[in-house]
């Protein structure tokens, strides 16, 4: 399960951000996960629960924003969802597309500090 190594990296990076911000605890981390990233959101959530133990994120929740895989068709200027499994054929003009516009994301977009007590 490579999600554990990804969750560990998320926790480490979020701790770095928290330290740089002068925060000792994090309440949530938001990540964008593309449909074609190879990451299973439920598995990532489970792995995050394990990776956060004993860290500044011990009480944090993981917020996963799923990104639909989208391609662009040059001949007809259409953008379309490729689905799973991916199908890179334009539904508008019936031609193949070679321009993936989204769906491989795996990035932290927000780290929220825990409220001060």
């Amino acid at each position: 399960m490579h999600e554990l190594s990804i969750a560990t990296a998320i926790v480490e990076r979020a701790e770095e951000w928290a330290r740089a911000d002068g925060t000792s605890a994090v309440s949530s981390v938001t990540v964008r996960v593309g449909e074609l990233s190879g990451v299973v959101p439920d598995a990532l959530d489970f792995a995050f629960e394990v990776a956060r133990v004993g860290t500044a994120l011990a009480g944090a929740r993981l917020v996963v924003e799923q990104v639909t895989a989208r391609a662009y068709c040059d001949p007809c200027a259409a953008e379309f969802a490729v689905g799973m499994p991916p199908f890179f054929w334009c539904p508008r003009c019936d031609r193949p597309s070679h321009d993936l516009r989204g769906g491989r994301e795996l990035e932290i977009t927000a780290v929220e500090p825990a409220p001060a007590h």
Side-chain angles (χ1 to χ4, degrees), residues 14 16 25-26 37 47 62 67 71 76 80 85 88 90 97 103 107:
E16 289 171 12
V26 172
S37 68
L62 181 67
V67 180
C76 73
F80 58 95
F88 294 93
C90 180
S97 171
E107 60 190 355

Side-chain angles (χ1 to χ4, degrees), residues 43-100:
L44 180 61
D45 191 49
F46 177 77
F48 182 80
E49 297 291 322
V50 173
R52 72 184 183 155
V53 173
T55 71
L57 284 83
R61 65 186 176 91
L62 181 67
V63 178
V64 176
E65 296 175 348
Q66 294 183 310
V67 180
T68 301
R70 302 198 60 78
Y72 179 78
C73 178
D74 279 327
C76 73
E79 189 170 291
F80 58 95
V82 299
M84 280 304 285
F87 187 67
F88 294 93
W89 207 264
C90 180
R92 184 195 267 170
C93 72
D94 201 31
R95 293 185 184 153
S97 171
H98 304 286
D99 187 359
L100 184 63

